[in-house]
Amino acid sequence: MEKFLDLTYNGLSSGAVYAALALSLVIIFQATRLVNFAQPAFALVSAYTAFAVIQATDSYWLGFGAALVVGALAGALVERVVIRPIASKSELNAIIVTLGLLLVVQGVIGMVWGSREHGLRYAFDYKGDFSPADVFAVASIAVVAVLVFVLYRFSPLGLRMRAAAFRPEAARLSGVKVGLMLTAGWAIASTIGALAGMLAGPPFLSPHSFDLVFVFAITAAVIGGLDSPFGAILGGLLMGLAMSYVSGYVGPEVATLAALVVVVLVLSLRPDGILSRPKARKV
Amino acid sequence: MSTEPILRVEGLDLHYGPVQALHGITLSVPPEGMCAVLGANGAGKTTLLRALSGLHKVSSGKVLLEGEDITRLPAERIITRGLAHVPEGGGVIAELTVEENLRLGGLWRSSRTDKKAMAEVLELFPPLAERRKRPSSTLSGGERQMLAIGRALMAKPRVLLLDEPSLGLAPLITQQIFDLLRDLRKSSGLTVVLVEQNAAGALATTEHGFVLNQGKVAVSGASDELLSDERTRHAYLGF
């Protein structure tokens, strides 16, 4: 029983990270109909920024803040400079470009900081069951989830962003600057990606720190339904728990395989994901 | 009352790639007037409206709104100058609630919801008031058209372009919408430009009509004259 509780705590805490990354994927998918494979690149750039700032100032929170700001700016910049010129041509092109971007960023980070591991601090003490660091991970994703919900549901910006995503032309006729809304969506998503990087980065950062995490996050987003922010969070937590139980009871070596099994199972029962409303897409 | 047209279009050309869709369209709409733009399928009616509201780039020519050149402005700016466009099918955002659609219409003026404008619109369209918290996807065709017009009115336009509001609606509902537009013109000085397939209904509602044919203004004149002119009716309007 104790082992079960341990695994549950572990699962929730790593699930929070998957949920954050999955949420950032869903926000971009909703805005641009694009699976953003560059998401771990934003997390990487942010986490390395935090690493550098913490080293220079010895303040964790300064580094944390810098990571979120850099994440937001990187997201906005990538949308404006890289994605916008190609997104209108073909969705597939844009997806491949995000994948290329990830490889480039991983390469550049390897050139700047080397491919060896760098120590990145936890926000709080990480020892013990459900340590303060775990609590922080779960609490921060809960706060993000509430903020995203309030932003989309109740704020004028959220209304504009939803209108721009659902019916760009109707949104323009109501005076919405659709391009600006896309940039805002990318900035918000990559800020959340930066948060995920700060949660998943410690104890050691390397250019490939987030590869496996991202595989689980994509899985979480897909099983939750790429169209549903709550599905992403639910999917993230479920993935965290499932991976934790599988590694604990069966063995860590089958965790990745288990992720695949989960996707196949969920998608054969609910092809659009757990929380997504099935609907036809216009081509 | 000034006789200066509120909306003037001068020599408008528009191309879709190599195909020219509008050929030197020139027309003017008097303030607080109601005009019909008629013509067969493919005559360029929808294209003309989309050019006026900034959804299509024009190749040459000018669009003047109250004397101000708005030809090159993007759609999201033109609405702020006082020209609203209800596109074909209404463009209601089905994923948003009725109230959210209406709020969206007024957002460019202020981030705070304009409660007064909202109340006025809901009073004009009682069915919307009953369903304000419901997703727009649950509305009937007529209610959707009302919502589309209501959303445009939330922007407090001086000119309203309507693309086939009667599409798919029962004649009785269409008549209600036409009547409402006439009332609005009287009460708030709105100018309406109506694109219609239903030429007889549109001419009965408006004072002036423009008949497009193959991207050109073929005939224009007072609506009652167009309605009684047998040659125009046979040649272009099909009744």
Side-chain angles (χ1 to χ4, degrees), chain A residues 45-146:
Chain A
V45 169
S46 308
Y48 271 92
T49 304
F51 165 74
V53 171
I54 293 170
Q55 235 186 7
T57 63
D58 206 37
S59 157
Y60 176 84
W61 294 109
L62 218 54
F64 187 85
L68 298 193
V69 171
V70 166
L73 293 178
L77 189 74
V78 164
E79 193 278 324
R80 273 286 147 115
V81 178
V82 183
I83 302 300
R84 187 164 308 182
I86 49 161
S88 54
K89 305 237 162 55
S90 130
E91 279 175 20
L92 187 60
N93 280 0
I95 290 172
I96 302 295
V97 164
T98 64
L99 195 55
L101 194 64
L102 171 62
L103 298 178
V104 169
V105 167
Q106 282 178 332
V108 169
I109 283 186
M111 282 157 63
V112 176
W113 278 286
S115 53
R116 71 186 174 83
E117 293 185 328
H118 290 281
L120 180 65
R121 262 195 247 161
Y122 282 96
F124 297 98
D125 183 15
Y126 60 93
K127 288 188 250 356
D129 292 338
F130 220 52
S131 64
D134 290 337
V135 175
F136 177 66
V138 174
S140 57
I141 182 63
V143 168
V144 165
V146 170

Side-chain angles (χ1 to χ4, degrees), chain B residues 37-61:
Chain B
V37 177
L38 308 169
N41 267 332
K45 307 184 298 291
T46 294
T47 303
L48 173 62
L49 286 203
R50 293 174 64 88
L52 297 182
S53 67
L55 290 175
H56 283 327
K57 281 206 174 83
V58 303
S59 316
S60 59

Side-chain angles (χ1 to χ4, degrees), chain B residues 60-237:
Chain B
S60 59
K62 262 188 193 172
V63 182
L64 301 169
L65 182 66
E66 294 182 302
E68 187 195 7
D69 190 346
I70 59 164
T71 322
R72 306 277 158 205
L73 292 182
E76 57 269 28
R77 295 277 300 285
I78 286 180
I79 178 76
T80 69
R81 304 297 168 97
L83 181 107
H85 177 187
V86 176
E88 205 171 334
V92 161
I93 302 176
E95 289 86 348
L96 304 181
T97 65
V98 170
E99 191 176 86
E100 284 171 336
N101 266 290
L102 292 176
R103 258 170 56 204
L104 182 69
L107 265 189
W108 73 265
R109 288 187 294 123
S110 148
S111 284
R112 304 262 305 273
T113 304
D114 185 341
K115 298 230 168 65
K116 190 162 158 274
M118 177 93 76
E120 282 168 14
V121 168
L122 291 176
E123 202 186 314
L124 280 177
F125 304 106
L128 297 184
E130 288 162 30
R131 290 167 178 74
R132 57 192 288 184
K133 300 285 181 198
R134 302 267 295 277
S136 316
S137 53
T138 62
L139 298 183
S140 71
E143 288 162 354
R144 274 184 195 225
Q145 197 61 49
M146 291 177 196
L147 179 54
I149 295 172
R151 187 175 67 197
L153 293 178
M154 288 291 290
K156 304 242 159 154
R158 285 183 306 269
V159 178
L160 181 63
L161 312 179
L162 284 169
D163 198 347
E164 296 218 32
S166 72
L167 196 70
L169 298 187
L172 192 67
I173 312 260
T174 306
Q175 196 49 52
Q176 279 175 7
I177 287 178
F178 284 175
D179 289 346
L180 185 112
L181 292 172
R182 257 198 306 227
D183 293 346
L184 269 177
R185 193 224 348 206
K186 268 190 219 121
S187 61
S188 61
L190 187 69
T191 302
V192 177
V193 178
L194 190 64
V195 156
E196 265 300 338
Q197 291 277 349
N198 170 8
L203 288 175
T205 311
T206 55
E207 295 104 45
H208 205 86
F210 301 94
V211 181
L212 298 192
N213 186 37
Q214 298 185 350
K216 296 184 186 115
V217 179
V219 189
S220 80
S223 293
D224 44 7
E225 282 169 27
L226 289 178
L227 204 50
S228 56
D229 177 19
E230 201 137 326
R231 271 201 16 224
T232 306
R233 275 172 36 194
H234 281 305
Y236 301 112
L237 304 178

Side-chain angles (χ1 to χ4, degrees), chain A residues 19-20 23 138-152 192 195 229-230 233:
Chain A
L23 182 60
V138 174
S140 57
I141 182 63
V143 168
V144 165
V146 170
L147 285 180
V148 166
F149 176 74
V150 170
L151 172 80
Y152 274 80
I192 299 171
L195 172 70
F230 279 94
I233 289 168

